[in-house]
Amino acid sequence: EVAAKSDVTFLCHKPTQLLEVASDVAPHAKVVVSILGGVPLSDLRSAYPSSEVYRALPSTPVELRQGVVLLA
């Protein structure tokens, strides 16, 4: 329900839950941004075939406002 009402859906769950979460979210997600560690962009695209998919790679310095987030 939240994904259907959102412009962007952020994935912040355990990497092993990718397919379980995608089964509920993928039909409704327009744009997906993932911070799932170790999950390749190709796996995300397979799980969310109808969505624009991006990976964000945050780091510890980001929490301290002294770093950057790479978006791929």
Side-chain angles (χ1 to χ4, degrees), residues 2-9 25-32 50-53:
V2 173
K5 294 179 180 180
S6 301
D7 293 325
V8 179
T9 301
V25 176
H28 311 289
K30 298 170 194 84
V31 177
V32 174
S50 300
S51 306
E52 280 185 58
V53 179

Side-chain angles (χ1 to χ4, degrees), residues 17-59:
Q17 297 173 309
L18 176 62
L19 297 179
E20 178 185 348
V21 172
S23 68
D24 290 332
V25 176
H28 311 289
K30 298 170 194 84
V31 177
V32 174
V33 177
S34 167
I35 65 164
L36 305 182
V39 178
L41 193 53
S42 59
D43 289 358
L44 293 166
R45 287 184 175 147
S46 293
Y48 292 87
S50 300
S51 306
E52 280 185 58
V53 179
Y54 302 93
R55 285 185 71 206
L57 304 172
S59 62

